[in-house]
Amino acid sequence: MSTPRSVALERLAYTLAAPVLAVAPNLYPDSPVNQVVQLAGAAGVGGIVLAAKGEETGAGRKILRWAPLVLAAAVDVAAKHTLGWGPYWMDGLLAAGWAVAGYLVMPFSRHTRRRHRPALAAPVPQPVAVAALEPSVAQPDDGAGADLLTREARMMWERAGMPARTRVVKATRHSGMRVDLTLLLRASETGRPITGLSPEAVGAAFGVPAADVTLADVPVQPGRQGGPGWMEARITPEANARRRTAPTPQERWIDRVGGPKGGAPGSELVHKTRDEARGVTFYRAGMTDSTETPRIDLAKVCRALGLPEDDSCVFVLIDGSEFLISAFDEPPLSQIFAATRELLTPDAKGMYVCGFTITGQPVKTMVFQHDKNAAAHGLTLGVSRSGKTQFFAINMAAQSLAGQVVWLSTVRKDEKTTVLGKYIDRQGSNALWMARQLRAAKALCEIRAEMPWPHDGQPHDYKPGDPRCPYRQLNVYADEFMTAAQDGDFGEFIQKDGEDLTVTGLKYGIGFNPAGQSPFAHNGFSTEMKDNLRQNSRPVIFNMGSPGATRKAAEGTMENPYDVPTIPARYSRSEGSAIERAMRGEADPENGVSTGGVAVIVLDNGRAVLMRSLYADFDTDLSELFPDEVNRLTDYEISELEKRGLWFDWNEPVRPGEFWPEPDEDDDGEGRSRRRGGGGGKGGGGRGSKSGNRRSEQVASPRQALEAIKSLTEA
C-alpha cells in the first residue's frame, strides 16, 4: 500500500530538521536559524493558548497541530543553554527523540483532516457485492448500455438541439418495419412538463414529413413514470405510405369518415362484413364516445367509401350510439313480397307481418292494442299511386282474419276500393257516404256503452280477445280524409266526427283509420286527433312526393324526431359519369323504377323503419287473403242504429233534416236556416256549421242552382 505524499514529506522534514536543532545552537548560537525556530515555537504557544480558551469544538486537535513547533523551540533553547553537546550528548538525543516522535505520530498530517477522515493509506473496507438491478426506463441509460437504435436516435436528437428540452429515453422499431419507430421522450429537467414539442420538430430531427409523426401521451406503467413530463412520438413514414395506397377498412374509415369533416364525425368502424347470398355489404360502426348521438351525412359517407350515393342501394340504421350502413348490389326494396294468409293472420297479441325491411326482417303492426287492452287506430299517408290502397287491403284482411268488422269510405270511386267492398261489411265512395259512416260509428259508441254483456248483464269496456264480448271490433277507414274534410257541404261534419271518434272510439272497440297526403292541422288533422292516432297506432308513411316531404310527414307523426329514412321518387341506378355524358351531348339513361309500396313505419319506440309492404294483387282473387264469410255488426247494434235513423243505404241522397234543419220562409221570402246545431236532425252526429247557409248563399252557377233544386225536390 503506497504512503501518501503529505506523510512522506512531513517525515522528511522531521528527519532533516532534527540535525539542525542539535547542531545550530552549539556551533552558531547567534544564527538566524535559532531565532526562526524560537519565533515558530512562540507562535505555537500562542496557538495552543487560543485553542485552549476557544469555545468551539476540536481544541485538542488544534493543540496537537501546534505541538511540533513548540517542542522544536524547546529542543533548540535546551541545546543553546547546555555546555557543548551536554551530558551524554543530550542535545543530539533530544533532537533525535523529537524527530522520532514526529516521524511516528505525525500530528500535523493526521489531524488536519476534518471529521477525522482516515488517510488514503489506511485500510478501506470493501463494499458488499449486490446483485445488479435491471435498467429501468424511468432513468434513461445514457451510456453504452442502450441498444444501437436508441443510441443513434439520441445522436440525431442531440444534433437537432434537444427539441422542447427533452431527452430520448428509448427507441423501439415497429414490428416488420425498416424505418418506423416509436420514441419515448421525457423532459430534461425532472418535474417539468413537456411543452412546445410539435410534429414538425420531430420530423425535422429524423428527416420525415410532419404528417408521418404522431405525438401521444404516455400512460403510467409499472416501472415507468407518465404524465406531462413524458411523451411518445410515433414516426411512421413506411406505414403511412402503405395506408395511402392500400388502407384497411378501419384506416379508410378513420381517415375519410370518422374525422371532423367526415360523413360520421367521431365514429369508428367496428367491422365490415359481406353477405354474398343477399348481395349486401354491412358497415357496423359506433361513436367513440358512447354518450354522443351519430350525425350521419349519408352522401359524404358514400363518397368516402366509394359507394354510389343515388341508386337507393345504401341505407343507414341508427341504434343509440351505434349505426349500421347497408350497401346492396341491387335496390333491395324493388323486391316484391307477396301477401299470404299465413303472414296476415294476427297472433294472440294482435300483431301480423305487414312488410319486410331492407335487411329482410319482418315488420309487424297491430289490429288491436294488447298492452292497452283496447282497439287500435291507424294512420296511412302517401300521394296517389304510392301504395296506400294496397296497404288497406292487407290491413283489412288481417282485421277480418281476426274476426273484426271493416267499413271503407273514399271520396271518389275506383277499381281497388270496389274490389275490397266485396270482402268487407260496407264500402262507399263520396263525402256524404263518409259523413254517414262516421256518424254511425260515433253512434255505436253510445250503443255499445249501454250494451249488456251476457255473463253478468252489465256493460263493460271493449276487451280484445275476450270471448264474452257481445260485439266485434269495428275498423272505420276514411281514404282521402284530407280532401273529404275540406268538402264544402260535409267537410265540417267529417272532421268533427272523425276527431270525436279518435278520442272516444277505442274503449268501445272502434278504430279509426284515416288516410291522406298530410298529417297536419290545416289539412284536416287537428292536433288532438293526430296525437291520438300517433299514440294508438303505428303510422305508415308512403312516398309523399319528395324525400323532404316524406321526412316532414314522418316527423309529424313521431313523438321524438329520429332520423327518418329517405324514400326517393324512383330507384335510379348510376350508369357512367354524368359529366362525360354532358361533354358528349348524350341523354341520361331512363332507368327509374317505381318506389310504390315502399313506406316508413313508425314503431312504438318512435323509431322510423323503412319497409316494403306486402303486395296484394288486385288482378287475382283476394279471397285467399280474406276469411270465407264477411264479419258484420250484431242484430242488436243494427236495430239500435235503425232506431236512430242511421242504418240504411248510405248511397241515398241527403234526407230532409239529416245534417241541417230545413229552411223556413222568412218575411222576405228567402230560405234561412234556424239550426241549433249541425246534428239537429234525428241522425245527429254533427256540429253547428255554415253548411246550411251554403245551400242558399253559394249558388253562383246554373249547375249549383240545379243541384239545389234537385235536393229540394228529393226532399
Side-chain angles (χ1 to χ4, degrees), residues 407-410 426-438 477 490 494 648-652:
W407 292 351
L408 170 62
S409 61
T410 57
R426 285 202 147 187
Q427 181 265 330
S429 303
N430 53 57
L432 173 60
W433 203 98
M434 185 181 296
R436 286 169 167 169
Q437 168 193 245
L438 295 174
Y477 284 81
F490 308 105
I494 292 173
F648 54 91
D649 184 2
W650 292 338
N651 289 309
E652 294 180 4

Side-chain angles (χ1 to χ4, degrees), residues 3-4 6-15 18 64 68 71 95-111 113 119 121:
T3 302
S6 61
V7 175
L9 292 176
E10 188 173 355
R11 288 177 176 176
L12 179 62
Y14 292 146
T15 303
L64 289 177
L71 293 177
W98 175 83
V100 171
Y103 189 92
L104 297 176
V105 179
M106 295 176 294
F108 188 79
S109 297
R110 183 179 297 277
H111 298 289
R113 294 178 176 82

